[in-house]
Amino acid sequence: MAGESDLIEWIRERSALQTKLNGLVDLGVGDDLAILKWPRDELLLVGVDQVIDGVHFDSAIHSPKQIGKKAMNRNLSDCAAMACLPAAALAAVGLPKSMTMEHAKELYQGMREAGEAFGCPIVGGDTASTPGKLTVAVTILARSAGGTPVKRSGAKAGDGIYVTGPLGGSILGRHMDFVPRIEMARKLAPVATAMIDLSDGLSRDLVHICKASGVGAILEADAIPIHKDANQLSKKDGVSALEHALSDGEDYELLFTAGRDPDKKIAVKIGRIVAEKGIWIEDRQKAKQTLKPRGWEHQVGK
Amino acid sequence: MAGESDLIEWIRERSALQTKLNGLVDLGVGDDLAILKWPRDELLLVGVDQVIDGVHFDSAIHSPKQIGKKAMNRNLSDCAAMACLPAAALAAVGLPKSMTMEHAKELYQGMREAGEAFGCPIVGGDTASTPGKLTVAVTILARSAGGTPVKRSGAKAGDGIYVTGPLGGSILGRHMDFVPRIEMARKLAPVATAMIDLSDGLSRDLVHICKASGVGAILEADAIPIHKDANQLSKKDGVSALEHALSDGEDYELLFTAGRDPDKKIAVKIGRIVAEKGIWIEDRQKAKQTLKPRGWEHQVGK
């Protein structure tokens, strides 16, 4: 059995190489806390997001590297949702006793490489042995970097609703392997009035924007881009591809609203914001029906 | 069954009340990321630390509120170790399906109250149902607030070694219920050359300081303050109270080095830093023996 301190020592050595990824890190992994020099007059954005074995991935199928990558990329996707740039990350990992040191290192390597792709070093963390399931909680710090963060609360009646890519069927593999839309987000920020990344599913994430903004929305069924994975899944389970696109979640595309059309190469229009609260979907004949949020929700005992 | 969104809604309402705890929070819980206005020219310190059922607490014995309090206080203790002030916290919670909504709220309440005691709001988090054990990972952001963070790496030969309180036997209850030494740390910062909070145990945490500083240490057996819990435990298990004080861990007192004695009301001297690498303990007759680090270490599979 190898101790936690060996793993931490290994992580510390790797992390030391990362501290020069951006000019912010004064002291990285290895003390009680990391120290960052925060750039003057830049807003600090921060969030945490976890992945758990049997919920967000399956350790019997997915490699430790894939798991680490997903854990980091979900957080980078949150940076995209606010149109800010990642600055530093931290990871709290609960390692089951059955996990080998080699796999723990691969997990860390997956996080590290995903962060590096966006100039984001891992500056701290906590590793502990758990009698439960493999759990990876990544905290992300991000900077406004000359832009204004795009919140969920800015959608106005008359705005268009847009999405950056085709949706549905991510469970076939894309949910483990996606590119956080940070570059797109930075280009969209000047026109976007509200934004979110699609993790819970279009129908539910649109509710988040509408609730925060105090507005309603009408989606156009024909305009919603359907991923080929949704079509493939539809053939298997008989649920329509549109239903998959509306409900599956974990697309990690951006859903946003804007007062004028953004670059068509980046996003397609799928509906419009209205003053009346509620979410509807309309067909080609403009027949409206209420859209029930069906995206994925973790259940908590009563 | 109640959904995650109900719990998040409840947390959001409670958190909204906290955003005015300090002047830093621009946007709290409820968007993809929280937004903070970081004070100009203040260093940002950040870390994450988790507690897991069956490892750091026992949900069959400890109340959700106690668990939440410990999760937050461990991180506040890390702020003390660096002599900085907490600014904001985030919590990633993995909730077993058996946990009731009421208990989840109490857990959050425990974190919230512990943070409030030091003006530290919870600005974000992630809640997910887990097939594993209850896991709470708290991320802490802290500010230098006019001081210089005290690292582990500044100890010099000739420095004294000090501790802020009696040690050992924390397992009898103190490990769940301690006061982070933030106020003491701010008073000690001007004299402390290196500092750490005692979580792994005196013998191991002293190694952390010595390794980071490239020095050795000699402890004086008679000078180490023994907690009455260590004496009580010693009667039960036959292990000496001194051994408990050296090895038990989770004391959450501060261990630090200084070139001159600090206020005697705050800390007692227990040894001295030497140039030669290694850790020794000497008795009244100045007979030295090598001290083996025996503090608590999480085991990771090989």
Side-chain angles (χ1 to χ4, degrees):
Chain A
M1 292 288 277
E4 184 194 351
S5 58
D6 299 320
L7 180 62
I8 290 173
E9 194 55 43
W10 182 89
I11 291 173
R12 191 175 306 182
E13 285 165 19
R14 297 300 172 292
S15 289
L17 305 170
Q18 284 203 307
T19 54
K20 292 195 180 73
L21 270 184
N22 58 35
L24 304 181
V25 185
D26 191 47
L27 182 71
V29 173
D31 214 304
D32 290 282
L33 300 173
I35 305 178
L36 305 184
K37 289 177 199 152
W38 200 254
R40 264 192 178 211
D41 301 325
E42 279 199 28
L43 293 169
L44 164 64
L45 295 95
V46 61
V48 63
D49 196 67
Q50 64 194 329
V51 293
I52 301 171
D53 194 7
V55 183
H56 307 90
F57 63 87
D58 181 348
S59 62
I61 297 170
H62 303 119
S63 73
K65 204 161 176 178
Q66 282 182 301
I67 296 164
K69 183 179 174 184
K70 177 171 186 175
M72 180 64 75
N73 274 342
R74 273 166 67 97
N75 283 277
L76 296 173
S77 187
D78 281 326
C79 296
M82 305 291 286
C84 58
L85 294 182
L90 301 95
V93 184
L95 293 169
K97 291 185 207 315
S98 60
M99 194 160 178
T100 65
M101 181 71 94
E102 210 44 57
H103 279 176
K105 288 180 181 177
E106 282 173 30
L107 176 81
Y108 174 78
Q109 196 68 16
M111 287 193 280
R112 186 171 173 254
E113 288 175 12
E116 274 182 1
F118 292 92
C120 180
I122 297 175
V123 300
D126 182 41
T127 305
S129 179
T130 177
K133 300 280 183 176
L134 175 60
T135 302
V136 187
V138 173
T139 299
I140 197 86
L141 305 186
R143 51 196 286 198
S144 48
T148 302
V150 182
K151 302 176 189 176
R152 298 178 180 178
S153 55
K156 282 182 268 310
D159 284 355
I161 303 170
Y162 306 83
V163 72
T164 53
L167 310 179
S170 71
I171 194 72
L172 294 183
R174 270 156 50 233
H175 75 109
M176 295 300 295
D177 185 27
F178 55 92
V179 177
R181 301 303 193 197
I182 291 173
E183 283 166 35
M184 284 183 185
R186 297 289 287 183
K187 286 181 191 160
L188 295 171
V191 299
T193 50
M195 191 150 66
I196 193 170
D197 66 321
L198 286 168
S199 53
D200 293 344
L202 173 56
S203 59
R204 280 180 55 81
D205 286 320
L206 184 55
V207 171
H208 292 145
I209 284 184
C210 287
K211 267 197 168 178
S213 300
V215 295
I218 300 172
L219 290 178
E220 294 158 30
D222 277 4
I224 295 167
I226 311 275
H227 198 281
K228 63 177 170 29
D229 289 344
N231 288 314
Q232 196 179 326
L233 214 52
S234 176
K235 277 175 206 154
K236 271 195 210 168
D237 64 12
V239 174
S240 77
L242 176 63
E243 187 60 44
H244 278 296
L246 286 166
S247 308
D248 283 0
E250 297 221 62
D251 300 297
Y252 299 108
E253 296 291 347
L254 296 172
L255 173 70
F256 65 98
T257 59
R260 57 187 168 89
D261 284 350
D263 185 342
K264 283 207 172 89
K265 283 190 293 259
I266 300 183
V268 295
K269 188 172 177 180
I270 60 169
R272 59 194 183 277
I273 295 294
V274 293
E276 190 186 350
K277 285 173 192 177
I279 312 244
W280 296 270
I281 187 159
E282 65 179 22
D283 61 18
R284 213 168 300 179
Q285 285 73 42
K286 304 280 173 196
K288 280 200 307 186
Q289 55 174 303
T290 299
L291 181 67
K292 288 200 183 116
R294 288 215 190 95
W296 191 60
E297 175 166 8
H298 302 283
Q299 290 300 316
V300 179
K302 188 90 186 178
Chain B
M1 292 289 277
E4 185 193 351
S5 57
D6 299 319
L7 181 61
I8 291 172
E9 193 55 43
W10 183 89
I11 291 173
R12 190 175 306 181
E13 286 166 18
R14 297 300 174 292
S15 290
L17 305 169
Q18 283 203 308
T19 55
K20 291 192 180 75
L21 269 184
N22 59 36
L24 304 181
V25 185
D26 192 47
L27 181 70
V29 173
D31 214 303
D32 289 282
L33 300 173
I35 306 179
L36 304 185
K37 289 177 198 153
W38 200 253
R40 264 193 179 209
D41 300 326
E42 278 200 29
L43 293 169
L44 165 65
L45 295 96
V46 62
V48 63
D49 195 68
Q50 64 194 330
V51 293
I52 301 171
D53 194 6
V55 183
H56 306 90
F57 62 87
D58 181 347
S59 60
I61 297 170
H62 303 119
S63 73
K65 204 161 176 178
Q66 282 181 301
I67 296 163
K69 184 179 173 183
K70 177 171 186 175
M72 179 64 74
N73 273 342
R74 273 166 67 97
N75 283 276
L76 296 173
S77 187
D78 282 325
C79 295
M82 305 291 287
C84 58
L85 294 182
L90 301 94
V93 183
L95 293 169
K97 291 186 208 313
S98 60
M99 195 161 178
T100 64
M101 181 71 93
E102 209 45 54
H103 279 176
K105 288 180 180 176
E106 282 172 30
L107 176 81
Y108 174 79
Q109 195 68 15
M111 288 193 279
R112 187 172 173 252
E113 287 175 11
E116 274 182 0
F118 292 92
C120 180
I122 297 175
V123 300
D126 182 41
T127 305
S129 180
T130 178
K133 299 281 184 177
L134 175 60
T135 303
V136 186
V138 172
T139 300
I140 197 86
L141 305 186
R143 50 198 286 199
S144 47
T148 303
V150 182
K151 302 175 189 176
R152 297 179 180 177
S153 55
K156 282 182 268 311
D159 283 355
I161 302 171
Y162 306 83
V163 71
T164 53
L167 310 178
S170 71
I171 194 70
L172 294 183
R174 270 155 49 232
H175 75 110
M176 295 300 294
D177 185 27
F178 55 92
V179 177
R181 300 304 192 197
I182 291 174
E183 283 166 35
M184 284 184 186
R186 297 288 288 181
K187 286 180 190 159
L188 295 169
V191 299
T193 51
M195 192 152 64
I196 193 169
D197 66 321
L198 287 168
S199 53
D200 293 344
L202 172 56
S203 59
R204 280 180 55 80
D205 286 320
L206 184 56
V207 172
H208 294 322
I209 284 184
C210 288
K211 269 197 167 177
S213 299
V215 295
I218 300 171
L219 290 178
E220 293 158 31
D222 277 5
I224 295 166
I226 312 277
H227 198 281
K228 63 178 171 28
D229 289 344
N231 288 314
Q232 197 179 325
L233 215 51
S234 175
K235 278 175 205 156
K236 271 196 213 169
D237 64 13
V239 174
S240 77
L242 176 63
E243 187 60 45
H244 279 297
L246 286 166
S247 308
D248 282 359
E250 299 221 63
D251 300 297
Y252 300 108
E253 296 292 346
L254 295 171
L255 173 70
F256 64 98
T257 59
R260 57 187 167 88
D261 284 349
D263 185 341
K264 282 205 173 92
K265 282 189 293 260
I266 300 183
V268 295
K269 188 172 178 181
I270 60 169
R272 58 194 184 277
I273 295 294
V274 294
E276 189 185 351
K277 285 174 193 176
I279 312 243
W280 297 270
I281 186 159
E282 66 180 20
D283 61 18
R284 214 169 298 180
Q285 286 74 41
K286 304 279 171 196
K288 279 199 308 187
Q289 56 175 303
T290 300
L291 181 67
K292 287 199 184 116
R294 289 214 189 97
W296 191 60
E297 176 167 6
H298 301 284
Q299 290 300 316
V300 179
K302 188 89 189 181

